[in-house]
Amino acid sequence: MSKKILGLVLEINPFHTGHKYFIDKAIEIIKPDYVIAIVSPSFSMRGDVSIMDKFTKTELLLDNNIDLVLELPFIGCNASSDYFAINAIKALSKFNITHFACGGECDDINILNDLSDITNSQEFNNYVNKYLQLGCSYSLSNNKALLEYTNNLDYINNFSLPNNRLAISYINSFKKLNINPNITIIKRNNNNYYDEKLGNTFSSATSLRKEINSNWKNAQKFLIDKNYNYINSDEFLNKIFLIIKERFIIFGAPYMENILGISEGIENRIQASINKAKNYNELIELSITKRYPENKIKRILLNILFDVKKNDFKNNEIDYLRILGFNEKGNKLIKTLDKNIKNEIITSLKNTNNPISILELKVTKLYGLLINNDELYLKEFQVPIKK
């Protein structure tokens, strides 16, 4: 009988009771022989800073029923949902996953699969292009396109919800890569992704990051690691604000035309905004346009921070395989891999010549510096963590 290998994509920002519920529920339903998670490191898909370092994330996951932890590097996760998903699924597929689980506001796989087919149709994409040409953002263009394509309320009501959209991106990625695992959707309970108030049993990562900054006691009961010295994201982002301001003072807006994600003169708007803004959040608010919503601006600012140029990476789709940690079961799974896949695996970043790894090391160095732990990057030479 073939082994069941379950793949998960996690951001863990921070690791909370909702994540534990999701992991445990997926294992309960699927009963896998192995569980692999790929995790965002220092920053997230939506351009937020991680309030927990990736090495601690790895240890926590290994302590909570994950057998093998992979890294989705900065360039792979600081991206729109479509790129984020394809990068994560590419890495998981190298480990021959037979099952995949993700969260969703809707747990009807048939609805999400239908929406995946719709978004891949030529008619739908013609509608999307029409709204893009009218100056709408990619996300808004998709929402408007669906309203033209169908009047099915199940599709319309579920399409714009954040976890559903990400689930659709995962399904699209499997189709693009021509792999067909069993997909399980775990319904999101009690608290929505963007909720800023704590729930009862579960709370969103968004609300927890806010409460950790302002009211630790309220947040504590939802956190898996109650002893970790969580980063104050507001303080961190305001340090970033000063660095980005310095970049514009020294290099100017014309230099920013070469940064990945910059187009249509958005660098000029950011420069004008940075002269008016008093902090990072104000910079984002002043820079937002119909075409450049909040998450896109945040990702661009991070690319400016790390000087990620268009010529360095043509887009955010990558092919990268790095192990952050494993337990005994995870080690057994690694040994079953094809030799060519084993040769792709990156462990330590010492003496690396991989451009993705070089950037990742820079990210960890600056991240560590800004959290007053300037030796954090040395752990990049010590992984994978073994349990």
Side-chain angles (χ1 to χ4, degrees), residues 4-7 30 97-102 109 174 179-185:
K4 289 183 181 178
I5 304 172
L6 170 62
I30 296 162
I97 59 170
T98 60
H99 292 71
F100 179 77
C102 63
I109 187 63
F174 285 123
I179 51 179
N180 188 31
N182 291 298
I183 299 175
T184 299
I185 309 295

Side-chain angles (χ1 to χ4, degrees), residues 164-209:
N164 288 347
R165 287 291 285 268
L166 191 50
I168 293 164
S169 292
Y170 292 138
I171 294 168
N172 286 342
S173 298
F174 285 123
K175 290 175 180 177
K176 184 175 179 179
L177 295 169
N178 197 29
I179 51 179
N180 188 31
N182 291 298
I183 299 175
T184 299
I185 309 295
I186 309 295
K187 189 173 179 62
R188 192 178 181 99
N189 286 316
N190 300 112
N191 209 261
N192 292 320
Y193 180 87
Y194 289 113
D195 282 353
E196 294 192 0
K197 292 184 179 179
L198 296 180
N200 295 318
T201 306
F202 304 108
S203 284
S204 71
T206 302
S207 64
L208 283 170
R209 288 194 296 272

